[in-house]
Amino acid sequence: SVLPSGIPVFFLIVWYVSYMFIVLLVLLNMLLAIIMDVYSEVKSGIGHAETLWSQTYEIIHREKEVWAGHARRLKEVLKSLDPTDLVEEDDDEHEHLPVRVETLVTEHDVPENQALHILIEAEKLHDSQMAAEEHNDDVKRVRRIDQRVMQMHRFLERYMHSNVYGGSGGATPSVTI
């Protein structure tokens, strides 16, 4: 059949379907671009993180060790080290006492290999937290410097527009740094 304008209906259907397909591709491309943008932001904010597969392998390996009797569950180790770890009114007086491999082995019945692994990982975590705190201090310093530079910039702009340079402003502005 033919439309009143003389165009066959077949061409109209082909045109409509191809247009809708191209629009669908463009929209999917935009959605993919948004998802990839957010993914790259999150990935860059994480830094160096373990992959899901390495975490899965570690969990399975740890469970095998527990089933074989060569290790204790981490939840049990934490509970034996600090029975009040979930209490909000905890006084944290024992928080800064050093924990040694021998202490974990003799007093808390943790196998020596697991005790050593726990302490090494705890030290890595502590080091990364200290590095993050130093980074935060550096960011604060950079922000203070930026604020002072912006303040000086505003002062110079006002000074340039004052009477000294033929501007219409009044007295020379003052700044406190």
Side-chain angles (χ1 to χ4, degrees):
S1 76
V2 179
L3 294 175
S5 62
I7 299 175
V9 173
F10 174 75
F11 288 132
L12 180 67
I13 293 173
V14 169
W15 179 260
Y16 178 76
V17 169
S18 62
Y19 173 78
M20 293 306 280
F21 181 72
I22 290 172
V23 168
L24 176 72
L25 288 179
V26 169
L27 289 176
L28 286 176
N29 191 17
M30 290 172 58
L31 179 66
L32 185 63
I34 291 169
I35 290 172
M36 292 304 294
D37 184 44
V38 171
Y39 172 78
S40 63
E41 260 183 58
V42 170
K43 179 99 171 144
S44 68
I46 290 175
H48 177 70
E50 285 187 76
T51 64
L52 181 63
W53 298 114
S54 66
Q55 290 178 11
T56 304
Y57 173 77
E58 184 179 335
I59 289 170
I60 292 171
H61 179 72
R62 192 179 314 132
E63 283 300 314
K64 284 182 180 178
E65 291 288 317
V66 169
W67 289 337
H70 301 297
R72 287 183 61 198
R73 296 191 188 281
L74 293 178
K75 189 182 286 186
E76 294 172 4
V77 173
L78 178 62
K79 191 157 191 90
S80 71
L81 282 172
D82 186 11
T84 62
D85 75 310
L86 295 178
V87 177
E88 290 187 23
E89 297 87 29
D90 199 5
D91 57 0
D92 294 335
E93 66 184 43
H94 302 293
E95 183 125 346
H96 300 291
L97 296 176
V99 177
R100 301 173 52 135
V101 173
E102 296 82 15
T103 308
L104 288 173
V105 171
T106 57
E107 295 179 17
H108 302 285
D109 298 326
V110 177
E112 188 173 348
N113 289 340
Q114 186 182 15
L116 184 62
H117 181 71
I118 288 171
L119 292 179
I120 288 172
E121 292 300 318
E123 184 178 12
K124 287 180 186 176
L125 178 63
H126 180 263
D127 290 345
S128 68
Q129 287 175 343
M130 295 305 289
E133 286 179 17
E134 289 177 12
H135 177 71
N136 286 341
D137 291 341
D138 293 341
V139 168
K140 287 178 186 176
R141 282 190 211 112
V142 167
R143 285 185 181 151
R144 277 197 303 263
I145 291 170
D146 183 52
Q147 287 173 350
R148 289 189 177 163
V149 166
M150 292 304 293
Q151 188 178 22
M152 290 171 56
H153 178 74
R154 286 190 301 270
F155 168 76
L156 289 173
E157 277 185 339
R158 286 186 298 219
Y159 187 73
M160 295 285 285
H161 293 294
S162 68
N163 286 334
V164 175
Y165 287 99
S168 62
T172 305
S174 63
V175 67
T176 56
I177 295 179

